[in-house]
Amino acid sequence: MPPSEPAAAAAPSLGQRWQEWRHLLRPGDWLTLGLGAVLCAGLFPLTWQGGAAEKAVVRSGGQVFAEVDLKQRRTLEVPGPLGRTVIAVEPGRARVAADPGPRQYCVRQGWLARPGEIAICAPNHVSLQIAGRTSAYDSLSY
């Protein structure tokens, strides 16, 4: 009995498809692809990063309660209608450590480290925002 032959040819592998396309690319194409990749990688940090965080701005009732430098450890207690909100500051970052609000959304925000990030404790009318020379882009400012 003769050996059976496959019913259909196997699909080409990724390596085989790459070999088919590779011979179509010229040296100038490779240069353009390489320069484009380097340009994208080099501009990404400049475009989407907001720079270094310099201070934390704490507001209570819409008014600035304190502007804290992010170079040293510090703890703030901010009064609000429901009680005291505790803000923890460490070098380069800050967070809402405790809040009397019922849902704890601002506490769940965690550490804020980039300019433009904000945690809002709406029931207690307290907010924490990280500030720097420039703000990072987000979906609202883009």
Side-chain angles (χ1 to χ4, degrees):
M1 197 171 196
S4 62
E5 294 186 26
S13 69
L14 182 61
Q16 291 170 338
R17 284 186 272 162
W18 170 246
Q19 293 295 330
E20 293 172 9
W21 280 96
R22 195 172 76 173
H23 77 279
L24 296 175
L25 295 175
R26 303 280 182 239
D29 297 331
W30 288 107
L31 180 65
T32 302
L33 287 172
L35 288 175
V38 168
L39 184 66
C40 288
L43 290 179
F44 181 80
L46 298 175
T47 305
W48 294 102
Q49 303 300 318
E54 296 176 353
K55 62 183 175 177
V57 180
V58 180
R59 290 184 172 84
S60 178
Q63 303 296 320
V64 175
F65 178 79
E67 289 187 7
V68 181
D69 188 19
L70 291 178
K71 293 181 181 174
Q72 58 186 349
R73 292 180 189 268
R74 187 170 174 190
T75 302
L76 292 171
E77 291 190 7
V78 184
L82 300 179
R84 296 197 175 270
T85 298
V86 178
I87 308 288
V89 178
E90 289 187 1
R93 62 187 190 163
R95 73 179 180 119
V96 177
D99 182 66
R103 293 188 179 86
Q104 301 290 304
Y105 289 135
C106 56
V107 176
R108 292 182 197 171
Q109 283 290 117
W111 290 103
L112 307 177
R114 290 182 291 177
E117 288 185 322
I118 189 167
I120 300 173
C121 305
N124 205 27
H125 304 278
V126 174
S127 68
L128 166 66
Q129 182 175 10
I130 304 299
R133 290 188 193 141
T134 58
S135 297
Y137 289 104
D138 63 8
S139 60
L140 297 177
S141 64
Y142 180 69

